Amino acid sequence: MNKEAWSGIFPALVTPFKSDDTIDFELFGKNLEAQVEAGITGVIVGGSLGEASTLTRAEKMELVKYAKQALPAGLPVVLGIAEQSTAEAISIAKEAESIGADGLMILPPMRYKADDDETVNWFKTIAGSVSLSIMIYNNPYDYKIEVTLAMFEELAKVPNVHAIKESTRDVSNVTRLFNKFGDRFRVFCGVDTLIMEEVMLGADGVIGGLVDAFPKETVAIFNLVKAGQYKEALAIYRWYLPLLELDIHPKLVQNIKLAAAKMGIGSEFVRAPRLPLQGAEREKVLAIIDQAIATQPELPDYLNLTADTSVA
């Protein structure tokens, strides 16, 4: 996987479970089919939305293997790395490379609030242990460690660090990154509610959550914006926003799994300590999903658009 492959829509895939708490690979495959049909360009497995903290190492590798087998050749499969120790992160990274993963999305150290030097060393050491393409996940809102421009200056020296998942929730940071680094990194929007704004600012792609349930609408917004068809994209985006807001919530996993279940490409089962949505909380989320399904917009032929990736 080269830097140019970091482009378009990469779903942060949920991990579907059966009632007995095992992974439902048949349903996982059904969701992958829907993603491919919609025109996604790569996938992330074992990320936060995939309930990585509850998956065993073996399960993560099985998800990688299944996705590699199920997806068309050339569609990258990226594994999330979110560990407590550098040694374990390196070991997982090497195993992922050995079974055919195309890239890694690396989070900062878990549970320990590393300082800037420690965080840079963490990313550099893991990236240097493999030849895989690397995405740095910058999400200080949720993980309390910010990767600053000065830190990215150091990471720019690492040849296989190719991409950034920009999840600071500050849309202007997209412009800061391009102003500072030009095309050195591929920049992805990592916050569902900001996908249109950040793609308009030049983001190369989107790591999405609600795409797990509504892949066609997500790809349509991206392609329409890149083609300069902002009015058409905005109509879809306005319809989509109440759904996208389900992603910026502590129970984003339950919310998105419920949406995917309603669309027939997922299930509500989550792994403890999470519990499925219940009672009034579930009804509130379900009302948003049902309203969206009842008013789904007619989509233009977004798969055949010629993207204009220039920024005015």
Side-chain angles (χ1 to χ4, degrees), residues 92-157:
I92 290 173
K94 287 182 175 180
E95 184 174 357
E97 183 172 37
S98 73
I99 64 170
D102 299 289
L104 303 172
M105 182 181 73
I106 307 178
L107 280 73
M110 297 290 102
R111 298 183 70 175
Y112 172 64
K113 192 178 186 302
D115 67 18
D116 290 3
D117 289 341
E118 289 171 324
T119 302
V120 169
N121 185 69
W122 160 270
F123 287 126
K124 280 186 170 182
T125 304
I126 300 168
S129 71
V130 293
S131 63
L132 296 175
S133 185
I134 303 297
M135 166 178 274
I136 303 297
Y137 186 177
N138 189 19
N139 185 351
Y141 188 91
D142 289 315
Y143 297 110
K144 312 310 176 188
I145 293 176
E146 181 176 4
V147 187
T148 65
L149 292 180
M151 294 162 73
F152 277 121
E153 276 193 278
E154 291 301 309
L155 293 169
K157 300 172 185 176

Side-chain angles (χ1 to χ4, degrees), residues 236-253:
I236 302 167
Y237 182 56
R238 285 177 173 167
W239 162 84
Y240 208 178
L241 187 60
L243 287 166
L244 297 175
E245 289 176 331
L246 298 176
D247 181 67
I248 51 171
H249 188 278
K251 292 189 178 180
L252 74 162
V253 173

Side-chain angles (χ1 to χ4, degrees), residues 60-89:
K60 293 175 186 178
M61 299 306 158
E62 287 302 312
L63 287 167
V64 170
K65 291 176 185 176
Y66 189 98
K68 286 294 295 182
Q69 177 272 328
L71 293 173
L75 274 183
V77 176
V78 176
L79 177 66
I81 298 284
E83 302 302 324
Q84 297 179 57
S85 77
T86 303
E88 181 66 8

Side-chain angles (χ1 to χ4, degrees), residues 244-299:
L244 297 175
E245 289 176 331
L246 298 176
D247 181 67
I248 51 171
H249 188 278
K251 292 189 178 180
L252 74 162
V253 173
Q254 291 95 321
N255 292 344
I256 292 171
K257 280 194 160 183
L258 178 55
K262 285 291 293 184
M263 293 302 292
I265 53 174
S267 73
E268 290 186 65
F269 296 118
V270 290
R271 185 169 277 180
R274 288 183 177 88
L275 295 173
L277 298 177
Q278 299 177 32
E281 185 178 32
R282 184 179 185 275
E283 290 305 312
K284 181 178 179 180
V285 174
L286 197 56
I288 294 170
I289 297 167
D290 286 343
Q291 173 64 17
I293 292 172
T295 58
Q296 271 184 280
E298 184 175 344
L299 301 179

Side-chain angles (χ1 to χ4, degrees), residues 34-77:
Q35 302 298 331
V36 171
E37 182 184 354
I40 56 92
T41 45
V43 299
I44 311 287
V45 299
S48 305
L49 191 52
E51 297 175 77
S53 62
T54 71
L55 298 175
T56 67
R57 179 168 172 165
E59 286 174 328
K60 293 175 186 178
M61 299 306 158
E62 287 302 312
L63 287 167
V64 170
K65 291 176 185 176
Y66 189 98
K68 286 294 295 182
Q69 177 272 328
L71 293 173
L75 274 183
V77 176

